[in-house]
Amino acid sequence: EYRYPDGGGRPTVVGYVATNRVLVEVRDLARVGGVIDAAIAQGATNINGPTFGLSNPDSARREALAVAVARARADAEVMARAAGQRVGGVLELTSQDAFERPMFDRAPVMAFARGAEAAPETPVSAGTITIRAQVTIRVAIVGVP
């Protein structure tokens, strides 16, 4: 840590700060609150979590992509028919996926860290993780004979 003179000039070292970061993976939701409480009891002052995720998101991601492609293709077919045409082959197909993670209310944890009255164990509730896929499909439009 530095002290900076009021009128400018060279700062002087007045102390040092050490930061340790620990990542804990817990697969049992019922244990998450206790793990947070144990970290605080051992002196943790900054809790960045929990962060929820899927242990294997690949199958859900692929399912979301398949649904998105089917919807995009169906939309293209509706538009082509409305224009008196039909859909030909796929010329280009791209995707973007995004995870939506449930949010965690840190207020009870931080109240406990400050010594305020809190629940016996930090409450952590189950939520839903949504996986979305967005695709762009470019198809050939063929005239109806």
Side-chain angles (χ1 to χ4, degrees):
E1 292 185 344
Y2 290 91
R3 176 175 295 137
Y4 294 89
D6 290 337
R10 188 172 188 182
T12 56
V13 176
V14 295
Y16 296 91
V17 175
T19 302
N20 290 316
R21 196 173 281 186
V22 177
L23 174 65
V24 178
E25 185 173 306
V26 180
R27 294 181 179 269
D28 181 0
L29 184 63
R31 296 185 60 218
V32 174
V35 169
I36 292 170
D37 294 342
I40 291 170
Q42 292 300 311
T45 58
N46 190 359
I47 306 291
N48 293 316
T51 301
F52 297 97
L54 299 173
S55 26
N56 184 2
D58 289 341
S59 63
R61 180 182 159 275
R62 288 185 182 118
E63 183 180 339
L65 283 169
V67 169
V69 169
R71 286 181 179 170
R73 176 85 186 199
D75 288 350
E77 290 171 357
V78 167
M79 289 187 288
R81 273 195 308 275
Q85 307 288 308
R86 66 180 176 83
V87 170
V90 175
L91 302 174
E92 183 179 10
L93 186 60
T94 59
S95 72
Q96 294 179 345
D97 15 288
F99 290 86
E100 293 182 16
R101 300 179 187 266
M103 297 302 293
F104 173 68
D105 183 7
R106 288 183 176 83
V109 174
M110 298 321 293
F112 183 77
R114 289 189 304 269
E117 284 292 321
E121 184 174 279
T122 299
V124 178
S125 300
T128 301
I129 297 176
T130 303
I131 299 177
R132 298 184 190 275
Q134 177 180 334
V135 298
T136 302
I137 186 171
R138 195 163 65 97
V139 295
I141 302 295
V142 180
V144 177

